[in-house]
Amino acid sequence: QVQLVESGGGLVQAGGSLRLSCAANGTAFSRKTIGWFRQAPGKEREFVACITWSGSSTYYADSVKGRFAISRDNAKSSVYLQMNSLKPEDTAVYYCAADRAYYRGTNSREDEYDYWGQGTQVTVSS
């Protein structure tokens, strides 16, 4: 069982930066791939980025590649999403999620993530 809580969202101007945090409870955290997803108003939730249990591999959606960076600190049971060069189209509720399986590689499939946080709002103004 993994419980996740996101923080760090807010309002930022286009071109600015934000750092999202995902804090976890539960001993399983350090054995799971963690992903970030987002849902914009009127749109389906979409994959943003993920990082494997060890932190050795990451994977990004094309729309954020080169602008966002995912990292984790297993000692602090936390995952981070550094978002730079933000665009209005990045406006969404951002969710972190834990993979259903243990010790898996990178994974962009939303249906394979079983544990979700409540989300944090990111708004980018033009």
Side-chain angles (χ1 to χ4, degrees):
Q1 192 82 0
V2 180
Q3 295 177 321
L4 304 169
V5 178
E6 303 93 337
S7 62
L11 174 64
V12 64
Q13 288 188 333
S17 297
L18 280 175
R19 189 192 193 210
L20 304 184
S21 297
C22 173
N25 282 329
T27 56
F29 170 82
S30 63
R31 294 175 282 167
K32 291 184 176 287
T33 292
I34 302 295
W36 284 97
F37 295 78
R38 67 186 181 186
Q39 187 168 21
K43 294 188 176 181
E44 297 285 318
R45 188 156 57 187
E46 64 176 2
F47 169 79
V48 175
C50 68
I51 186 166
T52 53
W53 62 276
S54 65
S56 61
S57 294
T58 58
Y59 181 64
Y60 297 91
D62 287 344
S63 59
V64 306
K65 202 173 295 183
R67 299 189 298 123
F68 291 11
I70 189 171
S71 60
R72 70 188 296 162
D73 184 340
N74 284 342
K76 295 183 178 180
S77 296
S78 294
V79 171
Y80 309 99
L81 186 67
Q82 178 67 42
M83 306 187 296
N84 300 324
S85 302
L86 282 161
K87 304 175 182 180
E89 51 263 45
D90 294 317
T91 295
V93 177
Y94 283 71
Y95 300 89
C96 65
D99 194 340
R100 175 182 309 138
Y102 295 101
Y103 302 121
R104 186 144 59 178
T106 56
N107 184 12
S108 62
R109 290 189 55 171
E110 180 179 341
D111 63 355
E112 294 186 352
Y113 286 80
D114 272 1
Y115 308 97
W116 293 82
Q118 83 289 347
T120 185
Q121 176 71 47
V122 171
T123 303
V124 184
S125 63
S126 58

